Amino acid sequence: MAVLVVGMADLKVAKAPDTLTTLGLGSCVGITLFDKKNKIGGMAHCMLPTYKGFEGQNKAKFVDSAVVELLNQMVRIGASRAGLVAKIAGGAHMFGKSQNNDLLKIGERNAAAGLAVLKQLSIPVQANDTGGTHGRTIELNPETGALSIKTVGLGTKSI
Amino acid sequence: MNIKEDNNLAKHLDVFKEIGNIGAGHAASALAGLLNKRITMSVPDASVVSFDEILGVLDGPETLVAGVLIDCAGDLNGYILLLLCMKDAMSMVAQALEETERDVTDPDFELTDLEQDTLLEISNILVGSFLTAITDFSGLSAIPAVPQLSVDMLGAILSIATIEYGKIGDSVLFLKTQFNDLAGDVNGHFFLIPDYNSYKMLITALGLDG
């Protein structure tokens, strides 16, 4: 069994018993898809909400294009499109006290974009741990679909 | 501002390094007053590195770091992010407060209000000196706002810089700063996060667009 590390602006798919992790999510958002029947998981670590206006760049960097690409890659390795469920984490506001402005509110916009694209694709969102002012390390187990979330000072939990 | 497509990148990095060194000189004298100790500072390195590499340069995405973000407005708009590894940050705080250094690996470790204020003050001096060097050199204004502190995982804090740079590529500009003559060497990392127009303006003002 291997732990596959998903980098910044990156996405990967895995079959149990392999697991997927991404480290130190801040305002970026981590989106995971899971097919229970075939025990296949996918994870994307996205930085910006939409591919629109950035055509030609790495699709994994943007929430909307990354989810579609993740879905396609999972189906390619045997996942069933109809059975997919999603979990989403990250999208924090790392410098909480700062004034409202575009750059610092990017976490919120990333999380909203994630929920919007999942809705559009009719993929149910089983769990959502977004927002706050703290970083997160997440790990998806494609055996069970459990998503563990580790933080600094706020402990570890599974959603 | 696709930095990797900046044809004069090497020349620009040299100038940023030079500005960084001047800023570091100012900061060293200010910090020496605060810490009551002679210190020297230098910027040995200004570079553009990819997102994957940057996390490696700084000991991995889950390392506990102190990040201070300062919003700048004026002719130049954007942010400066200063990152210090927690051990180095606490070493400076302990010296400023004349206290024994605390163990940052303790799971219950948390900054007191006084330590937070001290760290913000030190960061303010460092970033302010650096900003003065940039404005002196370029003749452009940049007024810093009140700094904000966040202590968390490196990857999470750095996302502020990488997301902004992510709009134009997959790499980020940073200046490595070394402080010497403290209890040990301390490294700080400055990330300049100018908006697109400010970067162009700065390059022009520094006479680098030829």
Side-chain angles (χ1 to χ4, degrees):
Chain A
M1 127 180 190
V3 180
L4 306 181
V5 179
V6 178
M8 225 184 282
D10 185 19
L11 61 85
K12 284 194 170 80
V13 294
K15 283 184 179 175
D18 292 350
T19 63
L20 291 159
T21 188
T22 196
L23 312 173
L25 276 171
S27 298
C28 295
V29 68
I31 298 175
T32 67
L33 299 180
F34 170 58
D35 169 8
K36 191 175 176 184
K37 193 167 132 244
N38 299 298
K39 297 187 174 173
I40 293 174
M43 182 182 286
H45 178 152
C46 315
M47 308 175 79
L48 291 158
T50 175
Y51 189 57
K52 204 170 163 233
F54 298 100
E55 288 82 359
Q57 281 211 37
N58 166 17
K59 285 186 179 169
K61 194 192 283 182
F62 307 93
V63 174
D64 53 0
S65 49
V67 174
V68 172
E69 178 61 23
L70 194 60
L71 175 69
N72 290 339
Q73 288 197 15
M74 285 178 69
V75 168
R76 219 173 295 145
I77 64 163
S80 133
R81 166 74 177 82
L84 292 179
V85 291
K87 290 183 182 178
I88 170 168
H93 192 77
M94 291 311 297
F95 291 86
K97 280 182 255 163
S98 294
Q99 301 126 357
N100 286 349
N101 66 52
D102 269 8
L103 173 59
L104 300 173
K105 280 173 89 173
I106 188 71
E108 208 176 294
R109 291 198 288 130
N110 279 334
L115 296 175
V117 67
L118 291 166
K119 189 173 176 195
Q120 208 180 350
L121 295 167
S122 305
I123 300 173
V125 177
Q126 275 196 332
N128 176 354
D129 184 56
T130 54
T133 56
H134 57 279
R136 296 166 172 91
T137 281
I138 61 173
E139 183 167 357
L140 178 72
N141 181 349
E143 185 71 47
T144 61
L147 184 68
S148 94
I149 301 178
K150 195 165 85 181
T151 63
V152 173
L154 296 168
T156 301
K157 63 179 173 183
S158 184
I159 62 171
Chain B
M1 188 185 74
N2 190 341
I3 292 203
K4 286 260 157 139
E5 283 171 17
D6 180 341
N7 293 328
N8 295 310
L9 183 62
K11 196 165 90 183
H12 293 175
L13 287 178
D14 277 348
V15 172
F16 281 121
K17 193 166 125 180
E18 181 58 25
I19 294 174
N21 273 312
I22 292 170
H26 296 322
S29 14
L31 210 54
L34 187 76
L35 300 179
N36 203 12
K37 195 165 185 174
R38 196 185 76 87
I39 53 174
T40 58
M41 277 177 65
S42 62
V43 176
D45 200 17
S47 41
V48 170
V49 289
S50 73
F51 295 158
D52 288 339
E53 286 168 326
I54 189 68
L55 294 167
V57 169
L58 294 157
D59 296 334
E62 288 188 288
T63 315
L64 188 66
V65 296
V68 177
L69 186 74
I70 297 186
D71 190 342
C72 301
D75 295 331
L76 299 174
N77 290 291
Y79 298 86
I80 294 182
L81 175 66
L82 170 66
L83 280 186
L84 295 163
C85 92
M86 216 44 220
K87 194 180 173 312
D88 289 356
M90 289 313 291
S91 150
M92 288 204 274
V93 167
Q95 292 193 54
L97 295 175
E98 297 181 347
E99 285 175 353
T100 3
E101 207 172 314
R102 297 207 291 137
D103 180 10
V104 297
T105 58
D106 182 336
D108 293 326
F109 172 80
E110 215 175 307
L111 285 173
T112 64
D113 287 350
L114 179 63
E115 286 168 341
Q116 282 198 24
D117 289 346
T118 308
L119 192 52
L120 279 171
E121 187 50 36
I122 292 172
S123 309
N124 216 1
I125 290 172
L126 295 175
V127 173
S129 310
F130 189 74
L131 204 56
T132 305
I134 293 180
T135 53
D136 282 357
F137 245 77
S138 63
L140 298 170
S141 70
I143 317 288
V146 180
Q148 311 280 342
L149 172 70
S150 176
V151 174
D152 212 304
M153 302 176 192
L154 166 66
I157 289 182
L158 201 54
S159 68
I160 287 293
T162 50
I163 285 173
E164 195 55 23
Y165 276 92
K167 292 176 185 167
I168 45 105
D170 293 295
S171 46
V172 55
L173 167 69
F174 88 110
L175 305 174
K176 182 177 170 179
T177 311
Q178 224 158 25
F179 313 87
N180 305 104
D181 297 349
L182 289 163
D185 286 354
V186 170
N187 290 317
H189 297 87
F190 282 102
F191 293 84
L192 303 183
I193 318 172
D195 68 18
Y196 180 71
N197 287 327
S198 299
Y199 184 79
K200 280 199 303 194
M201 224 160 136
L202 185 60
I203 295 301
T204 308
L206 295 172
L208 290 170
D209 53 351

